[in-house]
Amino acid sequence: MEIKSLKQYEEMVVEYQEGEIKSHREQMTSNGWKIKMMVNESPFKGDKVTYTYRKEIK
């Protein structure tokens, strides 16, 4: 077996309240973070949304 590529990542989990998501998400993605996962806690207005961001360690 031969490993062709090995990458390491840093992960960050951020919990947002309604209305906080858009500006912070744009800031995170412009700084090189990619959205790995998004979980909506509940379909009702005002609930929390959790984003998991991932960035490659160079």
Side-chain angles (χ1 to χ4, degrees):
M1 178 172 75
E2 181 182 342
I3 297 173
K4 297 285 185 178
S5 177
L6 178 63
K7 296 181 180 180
Q8 293 183 332
Y9 294 93
E10 182 177 1
E11 282 193 1
M12 180 185 304
V13 178
V14 182
E15 188 176 85
Y16 297 105
Q17 295 292 330
E18 184 69 30
E20 297 178 317
I21 299 169
K22 187 176 180 182
S23 63
H24 189 262
R25 186 182 67 217
E26 289 172 354
Q27 181 183 10
M28 292 291 288
T29 55
S30 68
N31 287 330
W33 291 90
K34 293 186 167 78
I35 298 171
K36 179 181 173 190
M37 183 172 54
M38 191 264 311
V39 176
N40 191 351
E41 301 276 329
S42 174
F44 301 109
K45 187 176 180 176
D47 290 326
K48 300 173 189 172
V49 178
T50 303
Y51 277 80
T52 302
Y53 295 96
R54 183 167 95 166
K55 184 177 185 179
E56 185 178 343
I57 299 172
K58 295 182 180 185

